[in-house]
Amino acid sequence: MKLTPSRSLKEIAGLINASFIGSPETLLYGINEIHKVEKGDITFVDNPKYYKRALESPATLIIINELVDCPPGKVLIISKEPFRDYNYLTNHFRPFVQAKSAINETAVIGEGTILQPGVFIGNHVTVGKNCIIHANVCLYDHTMLGDNVIIHANTVIGSDAFYFKKGADGYEQMHSCGRAIIHDNVSIGAGCTMDRGVSGDTVIGKGTKIDNHVHIGHDTVIGQNCLIAAQVGIAGVVIIEDDVILWGQVGVQKDLTIGKGAVVLGQSGIGKSLPGNITYFGSPVREAREKMKELALIKQLPEIIQELRNIKV
């Protein structure tokens, strides 16, 4: 999430009543969790296991729960509860705003776009030209659609990220302040869900086509001209490059990359990054022909075991 206008370290520390290390006039331009952080951003860390990653990240300000040496070019805020303070900042700069109407007055709707009955369009949503938004589609705040986008009935775009921190009293949700962005000529089926980014953007690239009942997790970026069939589930922070095909009921774990031109056959489970231009199958996935051979051999195991039992020593 970008801060417009930028804010100084002194201002940010004042909002959460915390001490800081570094020049008070250092300017901050955005807020991002560690997966999406850029130079000029605010991020946080509350686990020693991830201190090094956060301190060496592009972030300019790190909210941290221990007094450590401040790396060159960075500033620190020392906080007892970085997660809480980070959530406070994202809520402060992008709070939940109750809708007053089905089509919010701040929304921008392009020429030639058709909105069927029951469509909800939230605050600061942008919809391009010549789109068709079918009945009961929900576009949450700050969602952006390009031109010629088709979204079928009961799909939800921009819902909260599934991102929780476990504490003594249960799970605390990270406030979602990112966006959902859909580029030109995308088609999305009925009953789909696309979470917005935690603090960055969840993106669907130009020309991609998505079937019914597909879920896309927070901060996932899908490339151009992909095909995603029914009941695919994609976790957060996934990168799917151009021309990828995921057939029905494929499951994709978080924080991995699927290379350009990869094809994943139905009901496969993807647990690690995959090179492009290969057809995959199985759970965990392997190259499809090798997986088929493996399954064929497994079917022969009972006969092989019986033969071994019959061998007299």
Side-chain angles (χ1 to χ4, degrees), residues 55-259:
L55 293 167
E56 294 180 356
S57 75
T60 296
L61 167 58
I62 299 99
I63 304 172
I64 190 168
N65 57 343
E66 185 172 314
L67 186 60
V68 296
D69 293 334
C70 184
K74 299 188 185 301
V75 292
L76 304 178
I77 284 179
I78 310 304
S79 165
K80 291 182 179 179
E81 296 186 54
F83 184 89
R84 177 204 62 192
D85 287 338
Y86 182 89
N87 252 359
Y88 179 88
L89 291 173
T90 54
N91 270 293
H92 176 81
F93 289 112
R94 186 164 287 176
F96 173 76
V97 179
Q98 182 179 351
K100 303 297 185 182
S101 60
I103 311 296
N104 191 269
E105 62 182 11
T106 62
V108 177
I109 312 297
E111 182 181 356
T113 285
I114 297 170
L115 304 179
Q116 294 285 72
V119 168
F120 171 79
I121 297 181
N123 301 290
H124 309 291
V125 170
T126 302
V127 180
K129 298 177 182 179
N130 302 314
C131 298
I132 302 175
I133 313 300
H134 286 277
N136 303 319
V137 167
C138 177
L139 305 180
Y140 277 61
D141 295 359
H142 302 281
T143 291
M144 299 181 68
L145 272 59
D147 298 337
N148 308 307
V149 171
I150 299 172
I151 303 179
H152 287 276
N154 300 312
T155 283
V156 177
I157 306 296
S159 49
D160 280 351
F162 191 73
Y163 197 124
F164 295 86
K165 175 183 171 65
K166 188 173 184 180
D169 298 322
Y171 291 97
E172 182 180 359
Q173 186 171 19
M174 179 178 278
H175 172 65
S176 297
C177 62
R179 301 179 298 177
I181 298 176
I182 298 172
H183 288 284
D184 297 349
N185 304 315
V186 168
S187 176
I188 300 178
C192 296
T193 52
M194 176 182 176
D195 293 345
R196 59 183 152 175
V198 175
S199 51
D201 297 328
T202 307
V203 180
I204 300 177
K206 182 177 179 180
T208 285
K209 313 300 181 186
I210 296 174
D211 199 358
N212 303 324
H213 300 293
V214 170
H215 174 71
I216 300 169
H218 70 86
D219 295 288
T220 282
V221 176
I222 298 175
Q224 298 185 21
N225 299 314
C226 295
L227 287 179
I228 300 177
Q231 299 181 6
V232 166
I234 303 171
V237 203
V238 170
I239 297 173
I240 297 177
E241 296 181 352
D242 298 346
D243 304 312
V244 168
I245 299 175
L246 304 180
W247 291 119
Q249 297 185 335
V250 166
V252 184
Q253 291 189 22
K254 67 178 182 178
D255 199 14
L256 57 79
T257 297
I258 302 175

Side-chain angles (χ1 to χ4, degrees), residues 38-60:
E38 300 174 353
K39 185 176 181 180
D41 281 347
I42 302 164
T43 195
F44 80 98
V45 63
D46 56 6
N47 186 330
K49 181 179 177 181
Y50 302 111
Y51 283 176
K52 187 174 186 291
R53 180 179 180 185
L55 293 167
E56 294 180 356
S57 75
T60 296

